[in-house]
């Protein structure tokens, strides 16, 4: 099955990004496809390569990038939400790209199931 | 059938209350993140779950129960614990997902 | 470096029923505004949409919002654009696209509001009927 995931919150402050990530990992390990993860609202902060969590804690920004690379997951950060929050190309983490809100709707049309993780 | 997810505690937010007011018969409700607090036996939220146990199926995400140190507490009757694999299966078994934030 | 190539999906001919769920008041958080932007973008995709206001979400449609003392943008007039989009979609026989703007009756009444308090025409729908509508959706986007 093809899943599309929307992440409404940034890393660490809320559990949304963790929950979405754990779901995505479980899904691909079961042989499903996560076709896109769309980061909206504060979720755009998941694409900030400057995020430096403590060494003994999970690095969500990197984890998302690794998932994208290993399982061909398209990580999209919404351009309007990103601009508001100062997320620009120059600080975008590996595996992420910035694009328009239409990519969320398109994802929902292409996916068999769309999930939202937020606050 | 719809899979409803509730991720906030019933003591913090009215998401569970609104979900249970609007979830149609035959749907499933999965409690995740702080929403797992509603699964604890003996709370007022447990009563709202009990009211709809006849026509909704209730699930709770085990990893979130464990994280909050709640594995040693009884849960409301009839709620099934699932892990992330189970979460994925629930999504595939239902037609769509409604996240109550 | 992130790939510049956009990832394309084949969504030709796909028609789904979208529900946009608004449960929060405006201005206390950005969810109301950003979900509105999502609704407007979705118009170009010619899908069915139920834009639903529940709980404190009903306040997003309250008439007479004056944000001048807050220095925040009053975005409530944009709901009239949504209303126009809805009317255009529903009147256009050439496109299969039905939009509805729905407010939950119980949420409205619990907050001492009536349809007349709202700045656009809405369907005031009781929970039971809204429940059935929700159950029929293909994609639910919550803010």
């Amino acid at each position: 099955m093809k899943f599309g995931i929307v992440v409404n919150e940034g890393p660490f402050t809320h559990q949304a990004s963790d929950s979405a990530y754990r779901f995505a990992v479980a899904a691909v390990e079961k042989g499903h496809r996560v076709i896109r993860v769309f980061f909206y609202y504060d979720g755009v902060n998941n694409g900030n390569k400057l995020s430096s969590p403590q060494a003994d804690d999970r690095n969500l920004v990197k984890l998302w990038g690794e998932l994208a690379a290993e399982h061909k997951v398209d990580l999209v950060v919404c351009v309007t939400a990103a601009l508001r929050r100062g997320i620009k190309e120059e600080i975008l983490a590996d595996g992420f790209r910035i694009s328009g809100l239409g990519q969320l709707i398109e994802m929902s049309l292409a996916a068999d199931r769309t999930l939202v993780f937020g606050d | 059938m719809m899979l409803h997810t509730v991720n906030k505690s019933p003591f913090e937010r009215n998401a569970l209350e609104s979900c249970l007011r609007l979830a149609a018969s035959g749907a499933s409700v999965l409690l995740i993140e702080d929403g797992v607090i509603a699964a604890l036996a003996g709370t007022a939220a447990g009563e709202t779950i009990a009211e709809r146990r006849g026509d909704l199926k209730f699930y709770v995400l085990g990893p979130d129960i464990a994280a909050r140190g709640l594995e040693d507490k009884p849960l409301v009757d009839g709620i099934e614990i699932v892990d992330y694999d189970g979460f994925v299966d629930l999504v595939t078994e239902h037609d769509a997902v409604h996240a109550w934030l | 470096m992130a790939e510049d190539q956009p990832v394309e999906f084949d969504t030709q001919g796909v028609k789904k029923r979208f529900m946009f769920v608004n449960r929060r008041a405006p201005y206390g958080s950005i969810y109301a505004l950003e979900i509105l932007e999502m609704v407007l973008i979705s118009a170009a995709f010619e899908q069915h949409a139920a834009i639903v206001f529940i709980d404190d979400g009903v306040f997003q449609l309250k008439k007479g919002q004056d944000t001048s003392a807050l220095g925040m943008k009053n975005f409530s007039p944009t709901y009239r654009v949504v209303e126009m989009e809805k009317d255009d979609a529903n009147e256009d026989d050439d496109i299969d696209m039905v939009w509805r703007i729905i407010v939950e009756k119980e949420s409205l009444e619990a907050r001492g509001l009536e349809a007349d308090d709202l700045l656009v025409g809405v369907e005031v729908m009781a929970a039971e009927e809204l429940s059935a509508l929700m159950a029929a959706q293909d994609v639910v986007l919550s803010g």
Side-chain angles (χ1 to χ4, degrees), chain C residues 124-136:
Chain C
V124 177
M125 197 181 275
E128 202 178 327
E129 191 185 344
L130 181 52
S131 171
L133 181 68
M134 283 183 159

Side-chain angles (χ1 to χ4, degrees), chain A residues 5 12 25 38 65 111:
Chain A
I5 298 176
F12 307 108
V25 167
F38 192 87

Side-chain angles (χ1 to χ4, degrees), chain A residues 6-26:
Chain A
V6 185
V7 178
N8 289 1
E9 300 300 335
F12 307 108
T13 305
H14 299 94
Q15 197 180 352
S17 182
D18 284 285
S19 298
Y21 175 76
R22 300 277 148 223
F23 180 90
V25 167

Side-chain angles (χ1 to χ4, degrees), chain B:
Chain B
M1 287 303 158
M2 188 69 75
L3 173 68
H4 298 269
T5 63
V6 178
N7 72 312
K8 304 306 285 189
S9 163
F11 297 98
E12 179 189 340
R13 217 173 276 186
N14 72 352
L16 178 65
E17 186 191 314
S18 294
C19 170
L20 295 183
R21 186 173 72 249
L22 288 161
S25 268
S28 298
V29 179
L30 170 65
L31 304 173
I32 68 170
E33 300 180 8
D34 291 342
V36 304
I37 288 165
L40 297 177
T43 75
E47 282 163 34
T48 59
I49 288 176
E51 273 165 31
R52 295 226 49 194
R53 195 164 40 234
D55 71 318
L56 296 176
K57 286 194 279 208
F58 288 92
Y59 300 87
V60 64
L61 196 59
D64 279 319
I65 289 267
R68 291 157 180 79
L70 299 173
E71 282 182 310
D72 60 353
K73 289 294 171 192
L75 302 183
V76 296
D77 285 340
I79 197 162
E80 187 180 327
I81 303 176
V82 296
D83 57 11
Y84 271 95
D85 277 2
F87 187 171
V88 174
D89 289 342
L90 282 173
V91 174
T92 62
E93 288 158 12
H94 289 74
D95 302 315
V97 186
H98 184 157
W100 293 84
L101 306 173

